[in-house]
Amino acid sequence: MKLIFLGPPGAGKGTLAARAVGILEKAYGMPHPHISTGAIFRAAIAAQSPLGLKVKAILDSGKLVDDGTTIELVQERLAREDARGGYILDGFPRTIPQAEALAGFSHVDRVLNFDIPNEAVLERLGGRRVCRGCGHNFHIVFDKPKQDGVCDHCGGEVYTRDDDKPEAVQKRLEVYRAQTAPLIGFYRGKGLLTNVDARPDVEQVVENFKKALPV
Ligand code: AP5
């Protein structure tokens, strides 16, 4: 199953994807890697690679990396063996040109649109904490690490993303509305869009995901 997770920043795409990978692998008997363009960019920044040096200031400001760089990166990732049978694309496409390019190199089965009001997004981003080691998403109210600042899963450092600062969050929401929200109509027009109610707690969102497919 080849899936796109579409939705505003902080909607819970990465959190659900971490759970959905195992569900899909079991249901379809093949790997379904979670491919997050944001996570790929953050790893490049941490490694101080040429890509990381190029995109750091862009991510920190909440703007989008250029389409050419992002499309090339996703095309290369989808060409790998583990993505042949299925994948979850989280954070890509984010512009109409990215969606058009994707249609040229991969078939997509379904686009899940995370339906969530703005206030919930602000609450989720305001409290998000992320593990530097394994990337697990925590939240200071909804999913606290057992020990402050330490990941329950790998013992890594739990930190606040630079782009979760208030100025960057406002910019990301603006960019989402202007450049990414039009993809809802784009994929609805192709008959690929399914809305998922992303407001409830994580367990209920997992159930909503299973019903939306269904698996
Ligand atoms: P990216 O990393 O993709 O950021 P995003 O889309 O803004 O999404 P987030 O990671 O902020 O949110 P999420 O929906 O995954 O929510 P999460 O699960 O963490 O992109 C970062 C940057 O990279 C972009 O700004 C851009 O610069 C660049 N970039 C990436 N892709 C690009 C592209 N295609 N083109 C150009 N540039 C690109 O959840 C949020 C919080 O809520 C967590 O604390 C979590 O614990 C909590 N939570 C989650 N679900 C629930 C729930 N059900 N109940 C309660 N709490 C919950």
Side-chain angles (χ1 to χ4, degrees):
M1 176 72 67
K2 296 181 174 173
L3 295 177
I4 292 172
F5 281 8
L6 185 63
K13 304 180 295 293
T15 301
L16 177 61
R19 296 283 298 272
V21 161
I23 295 168
L24 293 167
E25 189 164 337
K26 198 166 156 210
Y28 295 97
M30 59 181 78
H32 279 69
H34 170 202
I35 300 170
S36 157
T37 38
I40 295 171
F41 291 138
R42 282 187 291 280
I45 292 168
Q48 298 189 323
S49 69
L51 174 66
L53 295 174
K54 176 173 161 185
V55 302
K56 183 176 177 354
I58 301 173
L59 264 79
D60 287 353
S61 70
K63 294 182 189 154
L64 293 184
V65 175
D66 66 278
D67 285 339
T69 302
T70 311
I71 290 165
E72 191 183 331
L73 184 139
V74 173
Q75 186 166 11
E76 277 173 21
R77 180 63 188 87
L78 293 189
R80 286 199 220 152
E81 188 59 38
D82 67 339
R84 291 274 161 83
Y87 54 71
I88 298 171
L89 268 182
D90 164 11
F92 183 93
R94 245 179 165 95
T95 64
I96 297 282
Q98 290 182 13
E100 287 170 344
L102 175 65
F105 57 81
S106 184
H107 158 85
V108 170
D109 293 303
R110 195 68 66 100
V111 178
L112 298 185
N113 179 43
F114 285 55
D115 212 358
I116 187 158
N118 218 22
E119 314 81 75
V121 157
L122 293 174
E123 188 180 28
R124 287 184 186 181
L125 289 179
R128 174 165 58 189
R129 302 292 181 269
V130 184
C131 173
R132 247 186 238 288
C134 67
H136 184 87
N137 286 315
F138 292 94
H139 191 280
I140 52 169
V141 177
F142 307 123
D143 180 17
K144 282 209 285 204
K146 290 190 187 83
Q147 192 186 333
D148 219 16
V150 180
C151 178
D152 297 351
H153 307 281
C154 75
E157 182 202 353
V158 171
Y159 77 112
T160 304
R161 273 170 48 173
D162 284 339
D163 62 351
D164 281 346
K165 292 181 182 143
E167 324 79 76
V169 166
Q170 284 312 326
K171 184 71 199 167
R172 286 161 66 203
L173 288 170
E174 252 173 57
V175 167
Y176 168 76
R177 283 191 283 267
Q179 298 196 59
T180 308
L183 291 173
I184 296 173
F186 178 90
Y187 283 119
R188 187 180 287 125
K190 295 186 181 306
L192 291 174
L193 196 85
T194 303
N195 280 323
V196 173
D197 183 1
R199 290 169 301 172
D201 64 27
V202 176
E203 294 310 320
Q204 186 56 51
V205 175
V206 169
E207 290 311 309
N208 294 348
F209 164 76
K210 289 181 182 168
K211 275 189 218 139
L213 282 184
V215 281

